[in-house]
Amino acid sequence: MAALAPLPPLPPQFKSIQHHLRTAQEHDKRDPVVAYYCRLYAMQTGMKIDSKTPECRKFLSKLMDQLEALKKQLGDNEAITQEIVGCAHLENYALKMFLYADNEDRAGRFHKNMIKSFYTASLLIDVITVFGELTDENVKHRKYARWKATYIHNCLKNGETPQAGPVGLEEDNDVEENEDVGATSLPTQPPQPPSSTYDPSNMPPSSYTGIQIPPGAHAPANTPAEVPHSTGVTSNTIQPTPQTIPAIEPALFSTVSQGDIRLTPEDFARAQKYCKYAGSALQYEDVSTAVQNLQKALKLLTTGRE
């Protein structure tokens, strides 16, 4: 992808979007779709903050130039031309980064890469708002991820051992932004979890009931938090990555849509969204997430309920 023209210095008024712009820069080569939507979010947010003072107008103008250049380069990408595909792509990417960090956290492996993954996941959930209001689940994931990033960062900074797992966050706590949390580089090859030392059943029960995270959930091998660099060496041997496939509900095999079920346009839109999520998940070879979303779509279409 062609290099983008640099932006002028960030006006102080736009401090709240500096990490979103940094995330965009980090993803220019790694995932241009993510980079595009991060800039779009920054553009929309910046317009709301200040679009009148000269320095802000100049900055937003240059940012708009970057957006137009990116859109031209990615013009044939469905994630850019179709909002539902773009939303699915971004949500899947954010979720994988979140689950990687959550797995590291539950296993008691605290390091800068996992902090960065938690924080970046929260920023990407911010970005999802370019498609509309966030779901309650995304709001809770964002709050939890941002709190975890800040909490673990502060613990390590103060020489303390963080408490693993989703414990300690109260529903009404506001999470403070920390300049240092998002300052580390994105993880490229995070350490693989030991196969025998982590037992989810030994984790303390969660005192934070606002979010449901499956114990031990983790992203598959090829995730946004772990993008292998090309070595230029090709091989005819493909090594499959072991994955845990969710059990398919037996009832779904025999379910036939009842004649009296009336699906609304919103139902069809949600079913289509689940199918898009599944397709996006398969791009990352994430069979588990693909199956789960296809099950949701099938259940919705055959029963009218989720």
Side-chain angles (χ1 to χ4, degrees):
M1 191 178 71
L4 299 173
L7 293 172
L10 185 75
Q13 298 94 312
F14 292 161
K15 181 180 178 181
S16 64
I17 60 174
Q18 63 178 339
H19 291 303
H20 301 86
L21 289 170
R22 179 183 295 160
T23 300
Q25 292 175 338
E26 292 169 337
H27 284 80
D28 278 334
K29 294 182 179 179
R30 186 173 181 177
D31 192 318
V33 171
V34 171
Y36 172 81
Y37 283 115
C38 285
R39 286 185 173 87
L40 181 60
Y41 171 83
M43 181 72 189
Q44 293 180 352
T45 305
M47 290 287 288
K48 295 175 184 177
I49 296 173
D50 187 343
S51 61
K52 296 181 179 180
T53 58
E55 61 175 348
C56 290
R57 287 178 63 88
K58 179 181 178 181
F59 185 89
L60 292 173
S61 176
K62 294 297 183 180
L63 183 56
M64 177 64 77
D65 290 343
Q66 286 193 348
L67 277 169
E68 291 178 350
L70 268 175
K71 193 168 186 178
K72 185 176 181 181
Q73 295 176 29
L74 301 171
D76 57 349
N77 192 314
E78 283 191 345
I80 301 298
T81 59
Q82 298 185 36
E83 282 195 357
I84 193 169
V85 180
C87 183
H89 182 94
L90 208 59
E91 282 194 302
N92 272 308
Y93 195 101
L95 179 61
K96 290 175 189 299
M97 188 162 283
F98 177 93
L99 291 180
Y100 159 73
D102 180 58
N103 183 63
E104 293 294 284
D105 174 37
R106 289 173 182 272
R109 292 188 291 269
F110 306 110
H111 48 83
K112 289 184 178 180
N113 281 349
M114 66 95 74
I115 296 172
K116 177 71 173 182
S117 292
F118 264 136
Y119 191 67
T120 301
S122 76
L123 295 176
L124 293 179
I125 296 175
D126 285 341
V127 175
I128 294 173
T129 59
V130 301
F131 303 103
E133 290 187 11
L134 294 176
T135 63
D136 290 342
E137 183 180 20
N138 278 336
V139 170
K140 292 170 184 175
H141 276 77
R142 177 176 63 181
K143 181 176 181 179
Y144 178 80
R146 195 158 292 172
W147 166 73
K148 263 294 182 179
T150 303
Y151 166 69
I152 297 173
H153 168 80
N154 289 338
C155 283
L156 297 183
K157 183 178 180 180
N158 297 328
E160 302 171 355
T161 301
Q163 188 170 358
V167 291
L169 176 62
E170 298 298 334
E171 289 281 358
D172 57 352
N173 279 357
D174 291 328
V175 180
E176 295 183 0
E177 295 259 349
N178 190 304
E179 292 295 322
D180 298 331
V181 170
T184 57
S185 60
L186 280 171
T188 53
Q189 290 289 341
Q192 294 297 316
S195 58
S196 59
T197 58
Y198 174 49
D199 181 2
S201 63
N202 291 333
M203 296 303 297
S206 171
S207 65
Y208 178 58
T209 58
I211 185 171
Q212 295 180 354
I213 310 168
H218 63 281
N222 188 17
T223 72
E226 182 181 3
V227 178
H229 297 287
S230 174
T231 59
V233 179
T234 58
S235 171
N236 294 326
T237 304
I238 299 176
Q239 298 295 335
T241 302
Q243 298 190 42
T244 301
I245 309 301
I248 299 177
E249 298 179 29
L252 291 179
F253 288 113
S254 57
T255 300
V256 178
S257 180
Q258 304 298 319
D260 59 347
I261 292 178
R262 296 182 180 180
L263 298 176
T264 65
E266 290 76 15
D267 291 332
F268 286 112
R270 284 201 300 272
Q272 184 182 18
K273 192 173 182 180
Y274 285 135
C275 291
K276 294 293 185 182
Y277 287 171
S280 181
L282 290 175
Q283 291 181 351
Y284 294 113
E285 302 176 5
D286 185 354
V287 178
S288 177
T289 300
V291 170
Q292 289 173 359
N293 281 290
L294 290 174
Q295 283 182 296
K296 290 179 181 179
L298 181 58
K299 184 176 181 180
L300 177 61
L301 292 173
T302 54
T303 67
R305 292 176 285 105
E306 293 189 71

